[in-house]
């Protein structure tokens, strides 16, 4: 039956990026309005189908034309006006307050100071997410937030239009090159929430995912402190082969063409959730970049096996 | 053979050709409406319009030229109604060509001061004006075609054609009014 | 007396006879031949769009598949969208159904501008060849059918893929504009005596609405395309903020066209439905005036809702709420029509033959798609599911359900009129059921994967998202749909060769095309019909009177290639005009325009200017011969 798959959805099956498995007040509100609208739609479609089925049963029955204009007006004009007005009032006057971009409160980013607010800047690139906090914390493709905190994410794009979307936490918001947009993330409980770019942005739009990891405040603060520190080690091969695009704070490499790799070893995945972060996958990425993610802006580097091993060891050590 | 009698109420009806021109005018009007909308959209996205380094639009010359073009509505109207349209068409074409030549000269002069490749201001300015001048140019060709046809005498078809092309000219004149006011508007906004 | 009728008919046949052979088809201006040319050509494009869809579904049938890579996939989804909208639905409805049927329904002998009609066909074909040359040479448009900047700008899409996008669409839109102008003037001015504005068939109201929609919406797209072409090729700045432009400008101009466009897609199909329903329920449409006004209103209001495609872009809240409010208004004309159709079926005496089955399927799918459309006016919900497979489900239910189903129904309904044969009913019904099941298998699960987080326009997806089984079902649904469509066309082809003769009026249809032989003679009507209602073929008194007039030679208009022109509102006779017959100028002009556009793709502006001059000279030749004086 048509409703069964939706019921499964609500139970949280396949809940990785599931809009109907909400973990924040905004997402809850949206999910609720969805269930109401679904019920209304089933009813509405049911009425039409019922009339058509009834027509089928009385097919071929001779008789005079019966009038039906009143029904047309009652069902076709009056009822829809009432339903639409109610839907519009609830969603676009009331519910929208919870999902609209938040007002900007403070000008300075906080980073683990205030337990009620936090700020993150996300810059979209083809095909990865640059994530910046206050202070010197720069990372990529993974956003840590404290739970039950209003995290205001400022987004814009470095190149084409992208869209920042974590269904379990809130609606999507586009990343534009000529405007800074905002969206609020408020996680009810700790967890790892998957997000994905939702505006076609080129060849690897399909592989531009990110994680939002909600943690208890103390854990978040620890993470933030660790990530803000510069790298402990320097590697000359990295500097030579990768330094023209990637930064590792604490070393001479400070380019921002590609993601900041200062603590890349601590991330859950690589290449914007294309592959998990394991030494084997890291090596594969370095060896066959354009096969793993064809069209990514990182070229094939034609490294030798020895160079791949060395770089993998180095990068995995940057926790 | 007898056929359907034309209704007594049918007076001077607008020809199918006139209706065709009306459809063309409708779609071109929508085209220009979108371009003018774009002009104002871009204008309100920019704090400085024109941008620094670009001179403000001239006002006097464009408005005078506009007035001249508006006056050519009269000979076009006379041509559509007259038994001897050629003189009116010649007068109209003469003045319209003069208008067009002056506009082309102005256009080239503007290009010395700022180009469309510098900023959106120039891009929309030259595109809008260029489109308008293009429509004037087509009108000139239509008038020239009419004059050539009329060398071979007057027919019902040619009479309808003059009427339809006069309608085209009224529309182009209205269009030019709107476009000219739009591109000179930064000078008024001060 | 009978021999006099035969003489009259013979005279008409001689005057209106088409040139034989291929040359006859290349120079034809007969609206029926042009309609048929559109019909077959759009079917080829439908096939191409379908193959593109099947390849995509085969790539997405399992996770991390590598049937096609992202470059090809991106071109596939872009060209699929463009093809289905601009090279299938619009030309099939306005070009094929509109051209063939509108003159017959209003009692005319041809469209208002027969040569321009042929021209729009040849331009349409050329524009399609143009697009597919791009695709097959590896330069197919690849930034999505709405082609957002900056992705479509020179910096991010350096090759000429986007030139094929801008120029194929611009070229195509000339054809659509010409067809729309033709349909409008035909409907307004060529109606038979007595067919006042309120006595037009609902089909004509629908086509009038869609044509006005195209006239006023296409220019917005044209301006967008012009700006993009200038920015990419001549260094202009419209869309880049660094030089005073705005990426939002592309979106606003695009959607100002794009939203009316979706009503343009479905309103002609509504027109088809509003003719099939009276014929197969043997009653007049309920609330005729309401339905007629609703058909016009839905396009009109549809011009005011475009920014609901931009709810996630960061527009101010007030703007969003305004557009959501406007969108709720546009729902009402549709609900009026849905209940009018449904209650007409219920209160009539329905015969569920294949055409009516497709209309029932259309109503169900359109309501389903319309309900998800209504969900989008809850702005926060829209912002969750826009750009996901949920919206792909929504618009395919609408487009396939509300546009393609009536097209299929209309093919069956008018098959006897066009071919003179009856189609086979049993295979017809089977084809309906296979297609109905297939499309629901294909599109329904998309609602679910969209809610599960699957964005649109992705060439592959990970295996651990819970999307895989739904995608499998969708792909199977795609194959089933394809099979159903093949059964449909196989049925029509076999019926063409082996169907029983249908006679002029197998359904006792309500409109005038059923009062002439099947297929209609070149001149359509031997005598210009008199009309006193919107169901002219059901007015047997009028049809009998026409028989007498034919015998008496009144209203036969046989002195030349003659056509009756009426007044705008009341439909009384205004004049008799001489119409152009076969002509080589339309195809020649289309050829010159094609070469002009080809030069623009490769940015050879000098050559483009030369071809512009050739275009002007061709127009001169076109208007060289004048119609006969009366």
């Amino acid at each position: 039956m048509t409703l069964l798959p939706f019921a499964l959805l609500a139970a949280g099956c396949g809940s990785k990026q599931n809009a109907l498995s909400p973990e924040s007040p905004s997402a809850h509100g949206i999910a609720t309005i969805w269930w109401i609208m679904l019920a209304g739609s089933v009813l509405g479609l049911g009425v039409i189908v019922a009339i058509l089925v009834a027509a089928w049963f009385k097919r071929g029955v001779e008789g005079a034309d019966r009038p039906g204009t009143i029904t047309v007006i009652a069902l076709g004009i009056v009822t829809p006006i009432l339903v639409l007005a109610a839907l519009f009032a609830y969603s676009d006057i009331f519910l929208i307050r919870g999902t609209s971009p938040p007002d900007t409160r403070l000008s300075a980013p906080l980073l683990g100071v205030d337990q009620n607010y936090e700020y993150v800047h996300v810059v979209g690139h083809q095909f990865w997410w640059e994530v910046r906090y206050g202070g010197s914390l720069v990372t990529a493709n993974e956003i840590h937030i404290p739970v039950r905190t209003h995290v205001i994410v400022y987004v814009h794009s470095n190149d084409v239009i992208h869209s920042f979307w974590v269904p379990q936490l809130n609606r999507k918001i586009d990343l534009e090159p000529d405007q800074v947009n905002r969206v609020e993330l408020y996680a009810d409980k700790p967890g790892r929430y998957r997000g994905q770019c939702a505006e076609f942005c080129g060849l690897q739009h399909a592989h531009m995912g990110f994680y939002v990891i909600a943690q208890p405040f103390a854990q978040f603060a620890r993470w933030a402190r660790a990530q803000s520190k510069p790298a402990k080690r320097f590697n000359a091969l990295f500097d030579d082969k990768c330094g023209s695009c990637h930064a590792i704070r604490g070393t001479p490499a400070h380019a921002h063409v590609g993601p900041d790799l200062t603590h890349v070893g601590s991330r859950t995945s690589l290449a914007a959730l294309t592959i998990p972060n394991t030494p084997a996958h890291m090596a594969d990425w370095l060896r066959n970049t354009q096969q793993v993610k064809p069209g990514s802006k990182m070229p094939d580097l034609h490294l030798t096996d020895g160079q791949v091993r060395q770089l993998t060891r180095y990068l995995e050590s940057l926790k | 053979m007898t056929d359907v009698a034309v209704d007594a109420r049918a007076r001077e009806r607008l020809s199918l050709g006139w209706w065709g021109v009306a459809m063309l005018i409708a779609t071109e009007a929508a085209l220009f409406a979108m371009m003018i909308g774009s002009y104002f959209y871009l204008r309100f996205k920019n704090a400085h319009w024109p941008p620094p380094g670009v001179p403000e639009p001239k006002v006097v010359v464009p408005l005078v030229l506009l007035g001249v073009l508006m006056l050519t509505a009269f000979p076009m109207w006379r041509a559509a109604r007259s038994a001897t349209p050629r003189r009116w068409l010649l007068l109209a074409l003469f003045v319209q060509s003069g208008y067009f030549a002056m506009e082309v000269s102005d256009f080239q002069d503007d290009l010395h001061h700022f180009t469309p490749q510098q900023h959106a201001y120039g891009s929309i300015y030259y595109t809008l004006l260029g489109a308008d001048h293009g429509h004037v140019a087509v009108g000139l060709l239509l008038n020239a075609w009419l004059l050539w046809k009329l060398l071979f005498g007057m027919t019902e078809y040619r009479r309808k054609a003059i009427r339809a092309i006069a309608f085209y000219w009224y529309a182009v004149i209205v269009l030019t009014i709107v476009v000219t006011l739009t591109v000179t508007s930064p000078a008024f906004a001060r | 007396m009978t021999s006099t009728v035969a003489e009259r008919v013979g005279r008409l046949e001689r005057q209106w006879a088409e040139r034989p052979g291929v040359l006859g088809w290349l120079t034809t201006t007969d609206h029926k031949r042009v309609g048929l040319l559109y019909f077959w050509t759009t079917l080829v494009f439908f096939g191409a769009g379908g193959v593109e869809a099947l390849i995509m579904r085969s790539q997405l049938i399992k996770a991390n598949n590598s049937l096609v890579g992202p470059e090809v996939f991106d071109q596939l989804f872009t060209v699929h969208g463009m093809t289905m909208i601009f090279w299938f639905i619009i030309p099939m409805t306005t070009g094929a159904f509109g051209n063939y049927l509108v003159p017959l329904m209003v009692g005319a002998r041809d469209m208002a501008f027969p040569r321009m009609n042929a021209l729009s066909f040849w331009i349409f074909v050329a524009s399609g060849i143009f697009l597919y040359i791009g695709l097959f040479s590896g330069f197919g448009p690849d930034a999505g059918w709405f082609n957002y900047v900056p992705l479509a700008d020179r910096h991010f899409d350096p090759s000429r893929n986007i030139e094929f996008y801008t120029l194929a669409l611009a070229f195509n839109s000339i054809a659509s504009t010409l067809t729309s102008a033709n349909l409008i003037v035909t409907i307004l001015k060529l109606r038979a005596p007595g067919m006042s504005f309120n006595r037009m068939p609902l089909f004509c109201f629908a086509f009038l609405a869609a044509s006005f929609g195209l006239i006023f919406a296409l220019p917005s797209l044209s301006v967008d395309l012009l700006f993009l072409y200038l920015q990419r090729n001549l260094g202009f700045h419209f869309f880049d903020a660094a030089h005073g432009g705005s990426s939002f400008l592309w979106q606003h101009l695009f959607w100002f066209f794009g939203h009316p466009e979706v009503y343009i897609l479905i309103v002609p199909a509504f027109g088809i439905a509003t003719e099939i329903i009276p014929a197969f329920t043997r009653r007049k449409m309920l609330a005729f005036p309401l339905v007629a006004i609703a058909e016009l209103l839905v396009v009109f209001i549809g011009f005011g809702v475009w920014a609901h495609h931009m709810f996630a872009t960061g527009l101010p809240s007030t703007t969003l709420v305004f557009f959501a409010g406007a969108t709720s208004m546009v729902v009402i004309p549709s609900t009026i029509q849905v209940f009018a159709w449904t209650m007409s079926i219920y209160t009539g005496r329905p015969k569920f033959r294949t055409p009516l089955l497709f209309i029932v399927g259309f109503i169900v799918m359109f309501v389903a798609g319309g309900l998800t459309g209504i969900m989008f006016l809850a702005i926060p919900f829209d912002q969750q599911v826009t750009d996901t497979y949920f919206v792909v489900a929504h618009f395919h239910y609408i487009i396939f359900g509300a546009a393609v189903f009536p097209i299929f129904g209309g093919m069956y309904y008018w098959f006897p009129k066009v071919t003179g044969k009856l189609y086979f009913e049993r295979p017809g019904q089977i084809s309906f059921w296979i297609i109905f099941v297939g499309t629901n298998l294909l599109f329904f699960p998309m609602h679910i994967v969209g809610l599960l987080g699957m964005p649109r326009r992705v060439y592959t997806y990970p295996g651990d998202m819970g999307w895989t089984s739904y995608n499998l079902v969708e792909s199977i649904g795609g194959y089933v749909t394809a099979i159903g469509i093949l059964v449909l066309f196989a049925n029509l082809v076999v019926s063409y060769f082996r169907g029983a003769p249908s006679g002029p009026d197998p359904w006792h249809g309500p409109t005038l095309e059923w009062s002439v032989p099947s297929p209609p003679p070149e001149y359509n009507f031997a005598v210009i019909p008199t009309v006193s209602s919107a169901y002219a073929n059901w007015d047997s008194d009028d049809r009998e009177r026409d028989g007498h007039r034919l015998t008496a030679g009144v209203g036969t208009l046989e002195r030349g290639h003659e056509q009756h022109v009426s007044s705008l509102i009341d439909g009384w006779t205004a004049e008799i005009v001489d119409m152009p017959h076969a002509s080589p100028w339309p195809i020649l002009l289309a050829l010159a325009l094609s070469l002009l556009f080809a030069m623009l793709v490769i940015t050879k502006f000098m050559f483009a200017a030369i071809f512009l001059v050739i275009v002007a000279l061709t127009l001169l030749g076109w208007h060289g011969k004048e119609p006969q004086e009366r």
Side-chain angles (χ1 to χ4, degrees):
Chain A
M1 222 217 96
T2 53
L3 285 179
L4 180 60
F6 291 119
L8 284 173
L9 272 183
C13 295
S15 63
K16 283 201 137 179
Q17 219 166 268
N18 181 357
L20 298 184
S21 174
E23 297 291 355
S24 81
S26 307
H28 267 292
I30 295 173
T32 308
I33 191 69
W34 151 256
W35 292 116
I36 297 173
M37 293 192 295
L38 178 65
S41 301
V42 169
L43 188 64
L45 184 61
V47 166
I48 295 289
V49 171
I51 299 175
L52 290 169
V53 167
W56 189 80
F57 277 111
K58 57 179 276 292
R59 70 195 180 286
V61 170
E62 295 300 313
D65 290 347
R66 282 199 309 231
T69 312
I70 306 282
T71 319
V72 171
I73 293 179
L75 291 179
I77 303 181
V78 177
T79 316
I81 289 180
L82 295 171
V83 169
L84 291 168
L87 177 62
F88 175 80
Y90 178 70
S91 338
D92 300 333
I93 297 175
F94 173 65
L95 181 65
I96 195 176
R97 286 191 210 146
T99 58
S100 282
D103 291 329
T104 48
R105 277 167 227 270
L106 299 176
S107 52
L110 293 173
L111 196 57
V113 169
D114 185 329
Q115 299 213 26
N116 290 311
Y117 295 99
E118 191 52 74
Y119 298 91
V120 188
H121 289 255
V122 171
V123 181
H125 297 253
Q126 282 179 315
F127 304 96
W128 58 280
W129 307 88
E130 179 184 338
V131 181
R132 294 176 168 271
Y133 293 74
S136 59
L137 205 184
V138 182
T139 182
N141 304 323
E142 204 169 280
I143 304 170
H144 289 242
I145 61 173
V147 286
R148 288 178 292 281
T149 305
H150 297 278
V151 179
I152 300 174
V153 187
Y154 291 83
V155 298
H156 81 277
S157 172
N158 188 57
D159 40 41
V160 302
I161 300 178
H162 302 273
S163 196
F164 181 90
W165 186 41
V166 193
Q168 289 184 278
L169 294 182
N170 212 341
R171 32 87 34 120
K172 59 177 65 71
I173 183 75
D174 282 0
L175 277 63
E176 308 273 349
D178 38 349
Q179 177 170 308
V180 176
N181 287 328
R182 299 183 305 282
V183 70
E184 181 180 276
L185 298 180
Y186 183 102
D188 288 331
K189 52 186 209 275
R192 189 174 75 186
Y193 307 109
R194 197 181 191 279
Q196 192 166 350
C197 176
E199 182 61 63
F200 179 65
C201 55
L203 286 170
Q204 284 297 325
H205 167 63
H207 289 125
M208 191 171 156
F210 61 98
Y211 282 124
V212 174
I213 296 173
Q215 302 170 301
F217 187 80
Q219 221 180 318
F220 166 75
R222 245 191 335 271
W223 174 85
R225 269 197 304 277
Q227 294 279 320
S228 301
K229 294 201 179 97
K232 291 204 179 70
R233 276 176 278 271
F234 164 81
N235 181 294
L237 179 63
F238 177 89
D239 200 56
D240 174 41
K241 291 283 180 189
C242 321
S244 50
C245 293
H246 292 279
I248 291 186
R249 286 172 273 128
T251 76
H254 60 269
H256 285 109
V257 178
D260 183 296
L261 297 178
T262 312
H263 296 281
V264 63
S266 68
R267 292 184 204 152
T268 324
S269 81
L270 297 173
L273 274 58
T274 308
I275 46 177
N277 188 0
T278 68
H281 282 280
M282 173 76 84
D284 191 28
W285 172 252
L286 291 171
R287 220 188 322 259
N288 306 308
T289 315
Q290 285 296 318
Q291 258 123 299
V292 174
K293 197 168 175 180
S296 118
K297 300 296 177 181
M298 176 161 150
D300 271 326
L301 294 163
H302 307 294
L303 301 167
T304 68
D305 281 345
Q307 290 172 323
V308 167
R309 270 199 301 276
Q310 198 195 126
L311 285 170
T312 305
R313 246 197 328 269
Y314 173 61
L315 292 167
E316 292 295 350
S317 77
L318 296 172
K319 297 234 180 275
Chain B
M1 291 299 131
T2 52
D3 52 16
V4 178
V6 171
D7 194 288
R9 288 168 288 183
R11 310 174 314 267
E12 178 66 48
R13 295 245 68 89
L14 298 165
S15 66
L16 287 180
W18 183 94
W19 281 95
V21 171
M23 291 292 109
L24 175 72
I25 289 169
T27 201
E28 297 298 288
L31 192 88
F32 276 89
M34 302 318 294
M35 277 200 273
I36 287 170
S38 303
Y39 180 95
F40 285 107
Y41 186 85
L42 289 169
R43 177 173 174 173
F44 291 118
K45 282 266 174 182
N46 281 278
H48 301 285
W49 187 268
V54 175
E56 265 192 19
K58 300 188 285 268
V59 171
V60 177
V61 170
L63 287 181
V64 165
L65 285 176
L66 176 65
V68 167
L69 187 69
M70 285 166 72
L71 289 176
T72 66
F74 179 72
M76 289 309 298
W77 178 73
R78 292 291 320 174
R81 256 147 247 282
S82 164
T84 51
R86 279 165 57 189
R87 63 194 66 174
W88 293 110
L89 282 173
L90 267 168
L91 173 62
L93 183 59
F94 180 71
V95 179
Q96 288 157 349
S97 305
Y99 163 87
F100 184 72
M102 294 257 13
E103 288 289 355
V104 168
S105 156
D106 261 358
F107 197 87
Q108 286 176 322
D109 184 63
D110 280 336
L111 280 168
H112 285 127
H113 293 106
F114 66 105
T115 66
Q117 285 84 2
Q118 284 168 277
H119 189 272
Y121 175 84
S123 299
I124 188 69
Y125 176 91
Y126 286 109
T127 306
L128 196 48
L129 267 184
D132 185 34
H133 296 335
H135 282 72
V136 170
V138 166
L140 296 177
L141 290 172
L142 289 172
N143 275 1
W145 175 76
L146 275 176
L147 281 165
W148 178 64
K149 277 275 185 178
L150 287 172
L151 284 176
F152 304 102
M154 178 62 115
T155 66
E156 182 65 19
Y157 175 80
R158 289 164 200 170
R159 208 181 50 79
K160 289 177 183 176
I162 300 173
R163 197 128 181 238
I165 290 173
F167 183 34
Y168 175 82
W169 268 110
Y170 306 146
V172 167
I173 289 170
V174 170
L175 184 68
T176 308
I177 294 172
V178 180
V179 169
T180 308
L181 289 177
T182 301
V183 300
T184 52
S185 63
F188 298 123
R190 298 274 161 257
Chain C
M1 288 302 242
T2 326
S3 59
T4 321
V5 169
E7 274 167 18
R8 290 192 215 294
V9 166
R11 209 171 307 148
L12 282 169
E13 263 166 26
R14 273 191 309 277
Q15 284 158 354
W16 289 80
E18 290 282 320
R19 269 201 207 124
V22 174
L23 203 60
W25 284 93
L26 294 178
T27 59
T28 188
T29 58
D30 173 29
H31 71 101
K32 299 181 289 299
R33 282 196 164 195
V34 174
L36 285 172
L37 286 171
Y38 263 106
F39 181 77
W40 297 317
T41 318
T42 55
L43 284 180
V44 171
F45 286 116
F46 182 49
V51 166
E52 286 147 13
L54 288 175
I55 298 176
M56 287 193 284
R57 283 301 348 146
S58 305
Q59 162 65 11
L60 293 171
I61 198 169
K62 59 182 193 175
N64 295 315
N65 202 5
S66 47
L67 181 69
V68 294
E71 290 96 345
V72 173
F73 193 90
D74 294 350
Q75 292 183 43
L76 284 175
F77 72 70
T78 306
V79 178
H80 166 80
M82 293 171 74
T83 302
M84 289 306 202
I85 293 174
F86 296 99
W87 279 274
F88 170 54
I89 300 208
I90 293 193
M92 173 60 91
T93 53
T94 58
F97 283 84
N99 275 326
Y100 197 102
L101 294 166
V102 164
L104 284 165
M105 282 197 190
V106 299
R109 283 190 168 150
D110 208 320
M111 298 281 278
F113 305 109
R115 287 177 300 179
M116 195 170 82
N117 202 14
L119 175 68
S120 48
F121 171 71
W122 294 114
I123 290 180
F124 155 71
V125 174
S127 68
I129 293 173
F130 198 86
L131 174 67
Y132 277 84
I133 286 177
L135 181 67
F136 291 138
S137 62
F139 291 111
D142 59 353
W145 88 275
F146 37 88
N147 206 55
Y148 279 179
V149 293
L151 182 63
D153 200 359
R154 183 62 78 181
H155 181 81
F156 295 102
D157 211 321
S159 300
R160 60 182 84 101
N161 308 52
I162 305 300
E163 271 61 54
F164 277 104
Y165 175 90
T166 49
L167 294 167
L169 279 182
F171 203 17
N172 175 282
S173 70
I174 298 177
S176 287
T177 306
L178 294 177
T179 300
S180 306
N182 224 338
L183 282 168
I184 291 172
V185 181
T186 305
I187 292 171
L188 293 182
K189 293 293 292 176
L190 258 52
R191 304 194 304 271
M195 190 183 282
S196 55
F197 207 75
N198 61 320
R199 290 182 190 157
M200 263 180 357
L202 286 169
F203 185 95
C204 297
F205 277 101
F207 276 73
L208 189 65
S211 300
F212 269 114
L214 280 165
I215 292 277
F216 289 115
L218 276 173
S220 192
L221 178 66
S222 304
V223 169
D224 228 3
L225 298 174
L226 172 68
F227 285 177
L228 184 61
Y229 185 85
L230 290 172
Q231 177 159 321
R232 283 178 58 93
N233 296 291
L234 290 175
F236 282 47
H237 298 287
F238 295 101
F239 307 120
D240 50 330
H243 294 96
S246 166
S247 56
F248 282 88
L249 180 61
W250 171 271
Q251 296 186 39
H252 281 297
L253 286 171
F254 186 87
W255 289 114
F256 188 83
F257 151 77
H259 194 82
E261 169 71 1
V262 313
Y263 293 111
I264 289 163
L265 290 176
I266 60 181
V267 164
F270 292 175
I272 296 175
T274 50
E275 295 308 326
I276 292 179
I277 290 173
F280 285 90
T281 58
R282 292 165 289 164
R283 66 151 296 153
K284 298 184 178 178
M285 178 67 67
L286 267 178
F288 180 104
L290 273 180
V291 174
I293 293 174
E295 278 172 352
L296 298 168
L297 263 185
V298 78
V299 174
F300 181 73
I301 301 178
F303 273 92
V305 304
W306 78 92
H308 71 220
H309 297 268
M310 296 166 65
F311 277 167
T313 58
L315 292 172
S317 283
T318 340
T319 311
L320 303 188
V321 173
F322 169 79
F323 279 99
T327 306
S328 39
M329 293 202 290
V330 85
V331 174
I332 304 296
S334 294
T335 49
I336 292 174
Q337 292 190 68
V338 166
F339 281 100
W341 304 323
T342 314
M343 291 305 292
S344 293
I345 295 177
Y346 179 73
T347 59
R349 290 158 291 160
K351 276 188 138 106
F352 286 95
R353 300 274 183 276
T354 309
L356 190 63
L357 276 184
F358 272 103
I359 299 308
V360 168
F362 142 67
I363 293 175
V364 172
M365 306 268 296
F366 175 57
V367 172
L371 287 165
T372 52
I374 289 173
M375 291 185 191
F376 280 99
L377 70 86
I379 296 170
F381 179 74
D382 175 296
Q383 293 164 333
Q384 265 287 31
V385 296
T386 189
D387 265 310
T388 69
Y389 264 83
F390 190 92
V391 73
V392 176
H394 159 70
F395 66 69
H396 279 99
Y397 263 83
I398 298 278
I399 296 184
F400 211 110
V404 182
F405 270 63
I407 287 173
F408 288 159
M411 284 185 201
Y412 276 109
Y413 178 55
W414 280 293
F415 182 84
K417 177 53 52 186
V418 176
T419 62
K421 305 276 181 66
L422 288 172
Y423 63 83
F424 291 107
E425 182 61 39
R426 212 70 228 296
Q429 303 207 2
I430 292 172
S431 71
F432 164 74
W433 284 110
I434 300 178
I435 295 175
F436 186 76
V437 168
T439 46
N440 279 288
L441 273 178
L442 170 56
F443 297 122
F444 187 79
M446 290 185 181
H447 294 107
I448 303 174
V449 276
L451 287 163
L452 279 174
M454 185 172 177
R456 62 187 288 195
R457 300 171 160 177
V458 289
Y459 76 100
T460 188
Y461 53 92
D464 58 345
M465 300 297 297
W467 301 338
T468 315
S469 42
Y470 297 105
N471 273 281
L472 175 63
V473 171
E474 291 163 20
S475 297
I476 293 173
Y479 304 135
V480 171
T481 307
I483 290 171
I485 293 174
L486 287 173
V487 170
L488 186 154
F489 285 108
N491 185 17
L492 292 180
V493 169
V494 172
S495 302
Y496 179 74
F497 289 108
R498 291 172 168 220
S502 66
D505 194 7
W507 317 122
H508 195 39
T511 40
L512 280 173
E513 74 273 21
W514 302 106
S515 71
V516 299
S518 302
E522 281 84 3
Y523 51 86
N524 292 349
F525 301 95
V527 57
I528 301 298
T530 26
V531 168
S532 40
S533 84
Y535 302 93
N537 197 44
W538 286 351
D539 296 330
S540 31
D541 292 337
D542 281 338
R543 304 280 67 75
E544 216 181 284
R545 206 170 300 136
D546 283 345
H548 298 318
R549 288 167 68 230
L550 175 58
T551 313
V554 176
T556 47
L557 297 183
E558 351 153 15
R559 292 195 331 187
H561 215 244
E562 289 181 328
Q563 167 62 47
H564 157 279
V565 176
S566 63
S567 70
L568 182 59
I569 307 284
D570 295 312
W572 34 260
T573 308
E575 64 181 310
I576 311 292
V577 294
D578 178 43
M579 296 300 255
H581 201 25
S583 166
W585 292 109
I587 194 171
L588 289 175
L589 182 53
L591 189 59
L593 279 168
S594 308
L595 293 167
L596 169 59
F597 274 90
M599 293 303 116
L600 291 175
V601 167
I602 55 179
T603 58
K604 295 265 186 274
F605 297 115
M606 273 323 296
F607 287 110
I610 292 173
F611 282 112
L612 188 61
V613 171
I614 295 179
V615 163
L617 290 173
T618 316
L619 279 168
L620 214 58
W622 176 309
H623 291 93
K625 195 171 99 171
E626 296 182 11
Q628 292 171 33
E629 299 279 307
R630 291 200 71 255

